[in-house]
Amino acid sequence: MTLATPQATLEVVKKFGLRLEKSLGQHFLIDQNILNKIVSSAYLSKSDVVVEIGPGIGTLTQSLAQRAGRVIAIELDRKLKPVLEYTLAGYDNVSVIFTDALSANLRHFPERLPIPNKLVSNLPYQIATPLLATYLDNFSELSLYVIMVQKEVADRIIAKPSTSEYGSFSVKVQFYCDVERVANISRNVFIPPPEVNSAIVRMKRLPEPRVHVLNRDFFFKVVKAAFWQRRKTIRNALLGSPELKINAERVGSALISCKIDSSRRGETLSIDEFSCLANALW
């Protein structure tokens, strides 16, 4: 059964009387070419254990199961249980876990499932940013992410300093990964079509974080403070941060040490400058 067509998807929707939940980001892919692009970008082999977030009716799940050794799909909507039992009936290397992906522990799945080494997913738009931030911080075993996300999120992932898309999330992702946009995707390849276009992004985790920091949590607090009020200078942004609680002398000394002009805005700082500044403040 090939699900990545309008006819096949609508047949499954009708068969099970599905009411698609916009609140859960349920938009089903109906383009086989896009599906192939996602899967081929993940360089899968039978040695890979893939985690997929939000399998929906199993369209991407089927293709992953054909390439990977094991697929673990995490789905929040239990109403999809009979659907996935039907569409994935022929795949004995797929396990579906009904839980909240944001709180799931990839190291402690039920049934003693193996720890995944890749994440390949059409991520539900509503959770894409917090999920990626959480997984990057907590699951170093994931060496590769191939994700379809809202184009705006993709723009933020790959953004460079001094652009409007560059922010704390950009720094977070690039601290851990090399990133690239694989393709931009039209909203018209989904049923129902979302209100925005999408993009496929590949994130390859670095063996070590991109920069050396003395304290990772403090580094991210400094980054967050710099973007908290984008129009403020880096000096005033750091001084105004309720999380950092540092005085003017300490901020001034750190800026001088890192040769950063105090009148610059946080959005102009590179990840190397952020690491220097965080280490000096620490």
Side-chain angles (χ1 to χ4, degrees):
M1 180 191 304
T2 300
L3 292 173
T5 67
Q7 297 81 4
T9 296
L10 290 173
E11 181 181 322
V12 170
V13 169
K14 182 178 179 180
K15 178 180 178 68
F16 290 92
L18 294 179
R19 295 181 61 186
L20 305 185
E21 300 287 346
K22 282 192 173 183
S23 63
L24 299 178
Q26 290 179 342
H27 303 281
F28 302 147
L29 184 62
I30 55 171
D31 189 302
Q32 186 66 45
N33 291 328
I34 302 303
L35 186 66
N36 293 340
K37 191 180 291 288
I38 296 171
V39 176
S40 63
S41 297
Y43 308 122
L44 296 175
S45 72
K46 292 301 180 182
S47 64
D48 288 318
V49 178
V50 177
V51 62
E52 180 193 9
I53 310 301
I57 62 173
T59 306
L60 175 58
T61 321
Q62 290 183 344
S63 292
L64 294 174
Q66 292 164 15
R67 304 275 190 94
R70 166 68 66 175
V71 178
I72 301 169
I74 302 178
E75 176 58 58
L76 182 62
D77 188 358
R78 287 187 173 273
K79 293 194 298 293
L80 292 173
K81 188 174 189 293
V83 182
L84 291 168
E85 288 175 348
Y86 171 71
T87 61
L88 301 176
Y91 298 93
D92 59 5
N93 62 337
V94 176
S95 298
V96 181
I97 299 173
F98 290 92
T99 189
D100 186 347
L102 283 170
S103 57
N105 188 333
L106 305 191
R107 298 191 185 100
H108 297 286
F109 282 130
E111 305 170 19
R112 297 187 177 179
L113 292 171
I115 300 172
N117 66 307
K118 292 182 179 179
L119 186 152
V120 186
S121 184
N122 173 19
L123 287 178
Y125 290 161
Q126 291 86 340
I127 67 167
T129 299
L131 183 135
L132 289 173
T134 299
Y135 281 25
L136 285 168
D137 278 341
N138 293 287
F139 302 119
S140 59
E141 295 89 347
L142 291 174
S143 62
L144 186 71
Y145 296 70
V146 177
I147 52 174
M148 183 144 58
V149 292
Q150 184 176 339
K151 183 178 179 296
E152 178 184 304
V153 174
D155 292 343
R156 291 167 57 204
I157 286 173
I158 66 172
K160 301 301 181 186
S162 299
T163 62
S164 59
E165 295 84 6
Y166 186 63
S168 57
F169 184 58
S170 314
V171 177
K172 165 83 76 173
V173 176
Q174 294 171 36
F175 176 81
Y176 291 112
C177 300
D178 281 333
V179 299
E180 63 177 313
R181 188 195 308 267
V182 175
N184 289 323
I185 307 298
S186 167
R187 69 192 72 183
N188 297 319
V189 300
F190 298 96
I191 289 180
E195 296 179 358
V196 295
N197 292 324
S198 301
I200 302 170
V201 176
R202 179 164 47 213
M203 300 162 35
K204 184 177 180 182
R205 193 175 183 105
L206 299 164
E208 298 290 337
R210 188 172 302 279
V211 291
H212 170 70
V213 295
L214 297 176
N215 183 287
R216 186 184 68 174
D217 291 341
F218 184 76
F219 167 77
F220 287 128
K221 284 182 180 180
V222 169
V223 173
K224 180 181 176 182
F227 290 101
W228 182 50
Q229 291 181 299
R230 295 182 70 98
R231 306 306 297 175
K232 283 193 172 185
T233 65
I234 184 62
R235 176 185 181 278
N236 290 339
L238 294 174
L239 287 176
S241 168
E243 286 190 317
L244 293 179
K245 298 177 182 178
I246 47 182
N247 59 40
E249 181 180 356
R250 189 172 162 200
V251 170
S253 176
L255 289 169
I256 291 171
S257 173
C258 295
K259 299 179 181 177
I260 297 172
D261 188 330
S262 62
S263 66
R264 287 173 60 185
R265 292 178 179 145
E267 63 191 22
T268 69
L269 269 63
S270 68
I271 191 169
D272 293 284
E273 289 175 313
F274 274 123
S275 68
C276 179
L277 185 56
N279 288 342
L281 288 169
W282 181 256

